[in-house]
Amino acid sequence: MTSTLTTDPFPFPPTYNFPPFFTPQPNRSTRSAQLQKWSALIQAWCRHHQTFRLSLIDAVESPLFHNATLRKRVALGDARDIIDWMASSSSSSSGGGGDEDGGGGGRAEWVDANHKTVAWIWWRRPEEWAGLVADWVENTGQKNVVLTVYELLEGEATVSQEWHGMDPEVMLRSLNVLVKRGKAQVFGSEGQEGVKFF
């Protein structure tokens, strides 16, 4: 689980202290609401801990899926079901898409689709990261300048940016969005990539 832990404790929502939250609900509408709440919680947890790649095996042992006070936990199979729902392109709720409520809507993607043990958690999708990077490039006068991916992730100029310290694969996916839009060119070998913004 790639993360940069913050010193502030994570503020769990009130539903985290409700024992039925940890058990899949049989009623369809209740289950849909439960999945939306789990999705929002997982996204908030990953954002707080700057986690982009979530290992379910590690996560089910962490406070994310294990409320020690209640002695309740989400089983690995149930956690997999939650991530499957988050990975779906649209939520099954009657409200439609998941962007407003944090559920469904492609907010996760399996890294290992065959085993389903590790997932990308998109608390910001690559398209959203691409927009933030493009805005930063524009605001800091970096157009037509060659930067390394390492500089974008670890450089002093980006310390204040939300993507600082991000998983390199997420950054490359985000930069590829800009490449497709004609706003950047990525070149170089793996681990040594450079990028020029237009």
Side-chain angles (χ1 to χ4, degrees), residues 1-2 38 42-43 45-46 51-66 73-87 108-121:
M1 191 158 48
T2 305
W38 269 113
I42 292 166
Q43 289 176 61
W45 169 273
C46 289
T51 299
F52 300 90
R53 189 188 305 228
L54 188 69
S55 162
L56 289 190
I57 292 166
D58 294 337
V60 294
E61 298 301 325
S62 76
L64 174 59
F65 287 123
H66 180 207
R73 75 171 63 232
V74 173
L76 181 60
D78 295 335
R80 193 172 283 127
D81 290 344
I82 293 166
I83 301 299
D84 268 339
W85 185 83
M86 290 175 67
E109 179 183 332
W110 290 109
V111 173
D112 57 347
N114 293 334
H115 300 99
K116 295 188 176 183
T117 58
V118 180
W120 295 111
I121 304 298

Side-chain angles (χ1 to χ4, degrees), residues 178-195:
L178 295 175
V179 168
K180 287 177 185 167
R181 293 177 183 166
K183 293 186 173 187
Q185 178 186 3
V186 177
F187 51 88
S189 58
E190 189 174 327
Q192 303 289 320
E193 295 93 351
V195 59

